[in-house]
Amino acid sequence: MNAEIDTMIVRGACPHDCPDTCAFEYHVKGGKLVEVTGDKNHPMTQGRLCVKLKDFAGHHYNPERILTPLKRVGPKGSRQFAPITWDEALTTIRDKWNGIIAEYGAQAIMPHAYLGHQGTLNGLTAGDAFFNRLGSTVAEKTYCESGSSTAWVMTVGPSGGLDIESFVHAKYIIVWGMNMTSTNIHGWPFIVKAQEAGAKVVVIDPVRTRTAKAADWHIQINPGTDGALALGMMNVIIAEDLVDHDYVEKYTLGYEELKERAALFPPERVSRITGIPAEDIVRLAREYATTPPAAIREGVAIERSRGGGQAIRAITCLPALIGAWRHVGGGAMEMPIWEFPTNFDLICRPDWIRPGTRVVNELDLGAALTGELQLDPPIKSLFVYNSNPMSQAPAQAKIAKGLEREDLFTVVSELFITDTAKYADIILPAAMQAEQLDIMVTWGHLYISLNQPAIAPPPDCVPNVEMFRRLAKTMGFNDDYWDRSDWEMLQDFYDWDSPALAGITLETLKETGWARINVGLPHERKPHAEGNFKTPSGKCEFKSSVTENFVVPVWRSMYEGMQPGDPIDPLPDYVPPYESRETNPELARRFPLSIVSPKAHAFLNSQYANEAPKQKRQGEQTVFMHPADAAARQIVTGSTVRVFNERGHFDGRAEIVDALMPGLVMANLGHWPSFTKSGTAVNSISSDAHCGMGMAGSYSDNLVEVEHVAA
Ligand SMILES: Nc1nc2c(c(=O)[nH]1)N[C@H]1C(S)=C(S)[C@@H](COP(=O)(O)OP(=O)(O)OC[C@H]3O[C@@H](n4cnc5c(=O)[nH]c(N)nc54)[C@H](O)[C@@H]3O)O[C@H]1N2
Ligand SMILES: Nc1nc2c(c(=O)[nH]1)N[C@H]1C(S)=C(S)[C@@H](COP(=O)(O)OP(=O)(O)OC[C@H]3O[C@@H](n4cnc5c(=O)[nH]c(N)nc54)[C@H](O)[C@@H]3O)O[C@H]1N2
Ligand code: SF4
Ligand SMILES: [Mo]
């Protein structure tokens, strides 16, 4: 028999929380997945998957995958489980939950989910309708982008902004707080193409990353000070009259107030805050304002400190100030997710939330479970899916302490027994991407993608959407929400009649796999050349009109030092970090080093960190230090070091590099605590304080000390 004829190709898309959302081709032979390759015709993927997805078929058949429901048979965290049937798992959950509801009320149950899967059916919002119907505590999901998105929407509205493909037309590009050659690999070639055509590429990052090395100019900045840099650029642009007054007058709100605010940020002051020489700040502002089209790629990393939201506000004001939006290839890009006509209310059913239901932020998990947050009723059951908080959430030690609680009934839906799943009372086995239908949510380009099942799942593994159908039936919910097939749900979850989806249907996607949504082509798209901002005023809001009616929420103060009910600053500002040598000298005497914990090249958040080929590619948990800081502590490359503060510690192998600013430590995120020397990882030292906007994490806003430990 001819092997060629035998192989079937099924179109799919990458399941991961990554801006690239690559188009897949599943190669299937005799009912088995033999290979997964990238679609050559997809303008982003261009035929290549990243290193993480190398051997996705091997990942699929990882022998450690969970194949049946499991119940705990040893102490919490001991990884001792026994297989059970779905019936037993569902009955156990129902009985436990009904008992908890009778004694404490449904709010004693809390879901915890993030983006382990990025699908419309199986992703971030897969369980929202179920938990809203159950009446559980509402989990506020702000692991990522919530600070940036709050700031972006306040400034320019829910706009897709600049298309990554339009960057080829830019002549001046600022990659701000993003390590694209690791985290947005398929976006980077558009920037290289612009560079080859003469564009100047500037990278703003405390670390000389691979991306920074490939740039024409790397500007090293103290973490958490980007807001000051953006205001300093405005100061120069306004003082030297490089403003596009016509654009500002027609399409912006609050220029006079912004001018007053920017006047507080002369280059010398900004230099002291950011660590960037004043003449570089002036040069950056001049070049940016006078080299059209000028483009900014906003990285998620900017939001990871107290002032992160306000920094994104300031950065997002820059293009309007110089009229950059007038040009193809000019403007800024945060994420284009807003262009997709997703019916989130029909997916999540916020109408089912009972009035007065409390909200608990997921990054406060440790505080919520240990009683540090005084909750009435307390959390008695936790349901985790699409997330691995023991590796990814801050205040790791507190989370472990909470998960060890004997009286906490924990259910985890997973592919592998992660460091979170190991604490579960019940584990439910999830299906993998090659086995399920979904439309992937996309946050780095303008293509809608359908993932079609290529092979059958193992008998007990189910997509998240099916798991919630089963849970709904078990809990006695007979709403027709759960009577629909996956296909029918996808029909309902997008507005197929919207202009963005003209000519695109589920049926056409079945053939093509993906399609560009109709929001203008990359070589002509100028979304805000004539304003058209989707803000309340229709303008780019330097001064936000939303904040006039918006105050710090009662639940938890968004700004340190502000009380619930206080109004929020309507203008962008520099909000200094919680923890830095300047803002907290007392703490800095004991813990003098700042730490950043960006994404690992070979892991996707914590995924793949349990697989040998990716562990080999990434190396062990490494602690990168500047030569001066290392010398002061008698640390050399290869030393085993301990990174610590009052919240915890983790150990790693030191690597001394001059790519860092002095006073800065870098350790990549993603290593599972159980695979490191100390049994803890980088989030053991990070704080659960929130970014001042959108309740995002403050992973880049932490002081630590490093010491040599005996190997
Ligand atoms: N390989 C890989 N790719 C990924 C992921 C992964 O885990 N692995 N995760 C995906 C996800 S969920 C996301 S959100 C994106 C995130 O991708 P990015 O937006 O690139 O974010 P990070 O990797 O956290 O950090 C990027 C850079 O920001 C710098 N940085 C840290 N703090 C600051 C600061 O205060 N200011 C400035 N200017 N720079 C700072 C860091 O030194 C780092 O080089 O990547 C996605 N892609
Ligand atoms: N220190 C520090 N911490 C950070 C960050 C940082 O930069 N520094 N970045 C933050 C950011 S940007 C993000 S996005 C978060 C990410 O945090 P998470 O979304 O929690 O990260 P993942 O490691 O992707 O964990 C997802 C889990 O879902 C599981 N999973 C995958 N597919 C499925 C499925 O179909 N069904 C089910 N039930 N499970 C599935 C995976 O096996 C994995 O264990 O981390 C945040 N944490
Ligand atoms: S993780 Fe990102 S870059 Fe890698 S294949 Fe998936 S979408 Fe593409
Ligand atoms: Mo993220």
Side-chain angles (χ1 to χ4, degrees):
M1 202 164 62
N2 186 339
E4 294 294 317
I5 297 170
D6 218 2
T7 304
M8 185 175 74
I9 304 272
V10 179
R11 287 179 186 280
C14 183
H16 292 307
D17 181 6
C18 167
D20 298 8
T21 310
C22 287
F24 277 178
E25 290 179 346
Y26 296 112
H27 302 243
V28 179
K29 206 169 174 180
K32 272 205 80 162
L33 186 65
V34 287
E35 199 187 0
V36 182
T37 51
D39 186 341
K40 286 196 292 293
N41 299 315
H42 190 273
M44 281 290 281
T45 308
Q46 301 205 357
R48 285 173 303 117
L49 302 180
C50 67
V51 63
K52 308 169 288 281
L53 272 280
K54 220 172 168 188
D55 196 20
F56 195 62
H59 169 69
H60 187 93
Y61 293 110
N62 184 328
E64 287 174 6
R65 179 177 175 188
I66 304 165
L67 296 174
T68 65
L70 300 170
K71 72 171 176 197
R72 178 168 68 86
V73 293
K76 289 223 171 189
S78 65
R79 291 185 181 273
Q80 296 172 53
F81 293 99
I84 52 172
T85 62
W86 264 95
D87 252 2
E88 186 183 342
L90 291 170
T91 313
T92 309
I93 294 169
R94 183 197 59 205
D95 293 350
K96 271 282 186 187
W97 279 358
N98 281 339
I100 289 170
I101 292 168
E103 198 176 340
Y104 299 94
Q107 292 189 67
I109 301 167
M110 179 169 166
H112 187 105
Y114 208 67
L115 270 170
H117 189 275
Q118 201 165 264
T120 309
L121 297 176
N122 297 299
L124 185 71
T125 51
D128 285 7
F130 173 79
F131 286 105
N132 290 343
R133 180 70 171 74
L134 185 68
S136 74
T137 289
V138 172
E140 188 178 45
K141 302 171 202 162
T142 64
Y143 269 102
C144 174
E145 287 273 11
S146 61
S148 318
S149 293
T150 306
W152 174 267
V153 171
M154 271 171 73
T155 315
V156 294
S159 157
L162 185 57
D163 181 355
I164 187 71
E165 291 177 69
S166 300
F167 274 71
V168 297
H169 302 290
K171 287 287 169 239
Y172 202 81
I173 298 176
I174 303 181
V175 178
W176 203 318
M178 191 168 201
N179 185 13
M180 292 181 75
T181 57
S182 278
T183 59
N184 185 194
I185 294 170
H186 298 85
W188 182 246
F190 299 108
I191 289 175
V192 172
K193 206 165 165 197
Q195 196 180 28
E196 284 165 1
K200 179 162 181 175
V201 178
V202 184
V203 167
I204 301 173
D205 195 307
V207 181
R208 196 168 70 247
T209 58
R210 288 203 311 161
T211 311
K213 282 180 200 153
D216 300 290
W217 186 14
H218 173 211
I219 297 177
Q220 269 183 312
I221 185 167
N222 288 325
T225 65
D226 303 276
L229 177 58
L231 284 155
M233 288 171 72
M234 287 181 201
N235 179 293
V236 176
I237 289 167
I238 293 168
E240 301 192 359
D241 200 18
L242 304 173
V243 173
D244 182 335
H245 290 286
D246 179 55
Y247 192 94
V248 164
E249 197 173 310
K250 284 191 187 133
Y251 307 124
T252 71
L253 192 71
Y255 174 66
E256 288 307 321
E257 288 97 329
L258 184 74
K259 196 171 158 181
E260 275 174 41
R261 181 60 59 89
L264 304 174
F265 292 89
E268 298 69 30
R269 178 180 174 215
V270 173
S271 174
R272 283 193 300 276
I273 297 170
T274 59
I276 303 166
E279 57 274 24
D280 285 357
I281 297 163
V282 174
R283 192 174 130 210
L284 175 67
R286 280 185 193 149
E287 289 182 0
Y288 170 70
T290 58
T291 323
I296 302 178
R297 178 72 172 104
E298 298 177 359
V300 188
I302 305 164
E303 80 173 15
R304 307 197 205 289
S305 13
R306 180 181 174 202
Q310 280 290 54
I312 299 274
R313 276 274 287 137
I315 293 166
T316 308
C317 288
L318 286 167
L321 195 64
I322 62 160
W325 292 112
R326 289 184 189 276
H327 313 281
V328 174
M333 172 180 185
E334 185 234 1
M335 57 170 187
I337 196 169
W338 317 104
E339 300 292 349
F340 293 81
T342 317
N343 295 325
F344 281 111
D345 282 2
L346 296 185
I347 302 175
C348 309
R349 299 304 300 260
D351 54 311
W352 281 348
I353 301 174
R354 295 175 201 160
T357 301
R358 71 178 175 203
V359 176
V360 175
N361 190 280
E362 289 192 352
L363 301 179
D364 297 340
L365 180 65
L369 293 182
T370 53
E372 183 186 311
L373 268 186
Q374 286 177 6
L375 298 174
D376 181 22
I379 308 289
K380 300 296 285 183
S381 178
L382 184 72
F383 188 102
V384 183
Y385 65 99
N386 280 345
S387 185
N388 185 7
M390 267 303 291
S391 153
Q392 301 301 112
Q396 210 164 76
K398 263 193 259 179
I399 297 175
K401 199 169 158 219
L403 290 173
E404 278 163 10
R405 261 176 50 196
E406 271 310 319
D407 67 324
L408 181 75
F409 176 62
T410 303
V411 184
V412 178
S413 162
E414 253 300 347
L415 306 174
F416 300 101
I417 304 181
T418 61
D419 283 337
T420 304
K422 75 176 185 185
Y423 290 103
D425 295 287
I426 300 280
I427 298 182
L428 299 173
M432 285 180 124
Q433 185 72 339
E435 303 158 347
Q436 57 197 4
L437 180 77
D438 217 333
I439 287 181
M440 303 318 296
V441 171
T442 306
W443 56 278
H445 57 64
L446 292 165
Y447 298 84
I448 185 166
S449 351
L450 182 72
N451 182 72
Q452 301 180 66
I455 52 170
D460 273 342
C461 296
V462 300
N464 292 337
V465 63
E466 172 59 18
M467 171 179 72
F468 285 112
R469 265 191 211 111
R470 292 183 183 187
L471 283 165
K473 294 271 170 325
T474 306
M475 295 309 288
F477 304 161
N478 41 31
D479 317 84
D480 46 19
Y481 184 97
W482 289 285
D483 290 338
R484 291 169 295 179
S485 66
D486 293 358
W487 187 264
E488 287 164 339
M489 284 176 135
L490 289 178
Q491 288 289 6
D492 293 345
F493 288 174
Y494 282 85
D495 182 2
W496 297 100
D497 294 328
S498 69
L501 292 181
I504 306 170
T505 65
L506 270 179
E507 292 297 338
T508 62
L509 284 174
K510 222 170 147 176
E511 288 304 309
T512 58
W514 49 268
R516 186 175 169 92
I517 58 173
N518 304 297
V519 289
L521 293 169
H523 64 278
E524 50 192 34
R525 187 177 144 86
K526 292 186 280 187
H528 304 300
E530 290 163 30
N532 288 319
F533 295 99
K534 293 181 207 154
T535 50
S537 64
K539 297 183 171 184
C540 172
E541 297 196 349
F542 297 150
K543 180 174 186 234
S544 173
S545 64
V546 181
T547 53
E548 279 165 22
N549 301 312
F550 195 62
V551 293
V552 174
V554 184
W555 175 246
R556 196 165 158 174
S557 181
M558 285 174 82
Y559 285 99
E560 197 184 60
M562 287 180 80
Q563 297 305 313
D566 284 355
I568 285 166
D569 191 344
L571 289 168
D573 199 0
Y574 165 60
V575 181
Y578 296 107
E579 299 188 10
S580 72
R581 284 176 292 275
E582 286 67 39
T583 57
N584 203 334
E586 191 282 319
L587 190 70
R589 262 190 294 280
R590 286 177 292 142
F591 305 110
L593 304 167
S594 285
I595 183 167
V596 292
S597 49
K599 310 295 184 181
H601 185 71
F603 305 151
L604 194 288
N605 293 315
S606 71
Q607 299 189 66
Y608 305 102
N610 56 329
E611 295 183 349
K614 307 293 151 52
Q615 289 172 335
K616 188 162 171 241
R617 177 71 177 78
Q618 183 63 33
E620 64 183 301
Q621 178 85 66
T622 302
V623 177
F624 295 90
M625 295 183 77
H626 187 270
D629 299 319
R633 293 165 178 77
Q634 284 91 46
I635 291 168
V636 295
T637 290
S639 302
T640 298
V641 292
R642 173 156 299 177
V643 181
F644 64 99
N645 59 21
E646 277 162 355
R647 292 179 284 265
H649 75 271
F650 69 96
D651 294 353
R653 177 186 168 277
E655 194 157 327
I656 314 311
V657 285
D658 63 6
L660 272 65
M661 299 174 89
L664 184 70
V665 173
M666 197 263 274
N668 286 116
L669 171 75
H671 296 274
W672 291 17
S674 57
F675 289 117
T676 68
K677 288 187 168 107
S678 52
T680 51
V682 66
N683 271 320
S684 60
I685 55 80
S686 54
S687 136
D688 52 7
H690 295 266
C691 159
M693 215 178 253
M695 298 297 279
S698 61
Y699 319 101
S700 283
D701 189 340
N702 298 284
L703 285 172
V704 293
E705 178 56 294
V706 181
E707 66 184 10
H708 197 285
V709 291

